[in-house]
């Protein structure tokens, strides 16, 4: 039997019969047992060869959005009537803005580029309307925490990237950061009607992807991604 059965099986059976703890017994004696048992191969030669071919096959390049594409049979199950006229949500490069590094690895859609342009115009408008006294009396950290708490409460599971949070907290008197917070508040207001459907979700794992990734909620997440991506933020917002 010892030609075929690992020693730990015998120790396990002994521990079970005697009422001992297997791991205690095994750690004390396993170095004294045989380790040359023969593992029987139940797989045919053709299967072994096929598996070897698969292991040696180089995997082709695959974009992140394609690798993470969620298209199971229950992905869009039970999408509510108010979202039936909306296209099904699929992960796209627009959701990968946080990782954009200036190359063509992430290619934003025309619609997303238009949204970034609109945000840039709105940001500049805020900057021209802000006066220095308003900034001096402004508590950046308090306002940022309140808005993030509101975003998480209303849109559910919305968080700032850590590097972005500390950067904003350290630039609490800078007009660019001040305007960005104002724009964040505006985006939360504008997208609430579309995004509030997330409040209907009871089970996150079984909810329709169209509900979890509704346009309002995703817009808020994407805006935070732009603020966290310094290279993209500088390109779009100038700071």
């Amino acid at each position: 039997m010892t030609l075929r059965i690992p020693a730990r099986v015998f120790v396990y059976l002994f521990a079970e019969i005697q009422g001992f703890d297997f791991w205690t017994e095994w750690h004390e004696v396993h170095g004294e047992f045989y380790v040359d048992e023969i593992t029987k191969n139940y797989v045919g030669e053709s299967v072994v060869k096929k598996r070897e071919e698969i292991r040696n096959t180089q995997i082709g390049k695959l974009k992140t959005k394609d690798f993470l594409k969620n298209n199971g049979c229950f992905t869009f199950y039970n999408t509510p009537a108010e979202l039936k006229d909306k296209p099904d949500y699929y992960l796209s490069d627009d959701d990968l803005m946080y990782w954009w590094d200036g190359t063509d690895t992430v290619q934003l859609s025309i619609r997303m580029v238009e949204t970034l342009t609109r945000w840039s115009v709105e940001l500049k408008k805020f900057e021209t309307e802000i006066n220095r006294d308003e900034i001096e009396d402004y508590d950046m950290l308090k306002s940022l925490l309140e808005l993030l708490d509101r975003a998480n409460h209303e849109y559910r599971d919305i968080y700032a990237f850590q590097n972005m949070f500390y950067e904003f907290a350290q630039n609490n008197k800078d007009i660019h950061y001040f305007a960005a917070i104002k724009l964040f508040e505006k985006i939360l207001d504008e997208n609430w009607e579309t995004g509030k459907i997330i409040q209907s979700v009871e089970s996150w794992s079984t909810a329709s992807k169209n509900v979890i990734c509704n346009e309002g909620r995703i817009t808020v997440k994407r805006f935070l991604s732009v603020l966290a991506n310094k290279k993209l933020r500088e390109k779009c917002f100038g700071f």
Side-chain angles (χ1 to χ4, degrees), residues 17-188:
I17 295 171
Q18 297 296 327
F20 296 156
D21 178 67
F22 164 72
W23 288 111
T24 300
E25 300 299 319
W26 180 246
H27 286 309
E28 287 183 1
V29 300
H30 74 278
E32 303 172 15
F33 282 100
Y34 60 91
V35 292
D36 59 346
E37 70 274 8
I38 302 171
T39 303
K40 185 173 177 57
N41 184 15
Y42 294 95
V43 180
E45 186 177 343
S46 60
V47 175
V48 173
K49 184 178 179 181
K50 184 64 177 178
R51 288 177 177 175
E52 189 64 24
E53 289 177 358
I54 294 174
R55 279 194 289 268
N56 293 330
T57 301
Q58 185 174 1
I59 299 175
K61 290 185 177 180
L62 185 67
K63 290 183 70 65
T64 303
K65 68 181 183 64
D66 295 325
F67 176 71
L68 297 176
K69 183 176 181 179
N70 190 341
N71 195 24
C73 57
F74 292 104
T75 303
F76 308 114
Y77 176 73
N78 205 26
T79 294
E82 53 264 50
L83 295 179
K84 290 295 186 182
D85 61 334
K86 303 287 186 181
D88 289 335
Y89 170 83
Y90 291 99
L91 186 75
S92 70
D93 279 10
D94 293 346
D95 298 299
L96 308 179
M97 288 191 294
Y98 177 72
W99 292 275
W100 183 84
D101 61 357
T103 67
D104 61 355
T105 303
V106 174
Q107 297 179 341
L108 303 182
S109 68
I110 294 176
R111 184 180 181 185
M112 192 68 243
V113 172
E114 292 174 346
T115 299
L116 290 172
T117 302
R118 175 169 56 82
W119 285 345
S120 178
V121 172
E122 292 175 342
L123 187 72
K124 296 296 188 295
K125 186 173 184 295
F126 276 122
E127 291 177 354
T128 58
E129 295 174 348
I130 295 170
N131 60 65
R132 179 54 58 182
D133 291 338
E134 187 179 1
I135 296 179
E136 289 300 325
D137 297 334
Y138 190 74
D139 189 332
M140 169 72 77
L141 181 59
K142 180 175 181 294
S143 298
L144 181 57
L145 285 171
E146 288 176 349
L147 286 175
L148 288 173
D149 181 65
R150 174 189 165 189
N152 184 51
H153 175 72
E154 293 182 352
Y155 294 89
R156 296 181 59 178
D157 284 11
I158 298 289
Y159 306 105
F161 290 87
Q162 187 182 65
N163 59 328
M164 168 249 165
F165 177 82
Y166 286 115
E167 181 187 352
F168 271 66
Q170 293 167 4
N171 290 276
N172 60 320
K173 302 303 179 184
D174 189 298
I175 190 171
H176 301 299
Y177 294 84
F178 183 88
I181 294 299
K182 291 290 187 181
L183 180 55
F184 181 36
E185 184 175 12
K186 183 173 185 289
I187 289 173
L188 290 178

Side-chain angles (χ1 to χ4, degrees), residues 147-161 184 188 192 195-205 207 209 211-214 216-222 224-225:
L147 286 175
L148 288 173
D149 181 65
R150 174 189 165 189
N152 184 51
H153 175 72
E154 293 182 352
Y155 294 89
R156 296 181 59 178
D157 284 11
I158 298 289
Y159 306 105
F161 290 87
F184 181 36
L188 290 178
W192 173 237
K196 66 182 181 181
I197 195 170
I198 193 65
Q199 295 288 336
S200 65
V201 173
E202 295 181 359
S203 173
W204 201 264
S205 59
K209 195 74 171 177
V211 176
I212 294 176
C213 297
N214 67 76
R217 182 172 181 272
I218 288 300
T219 299
V220 173
K221 288 174 66 69
R222 290 173 179 173
L224 289 175
S225 292

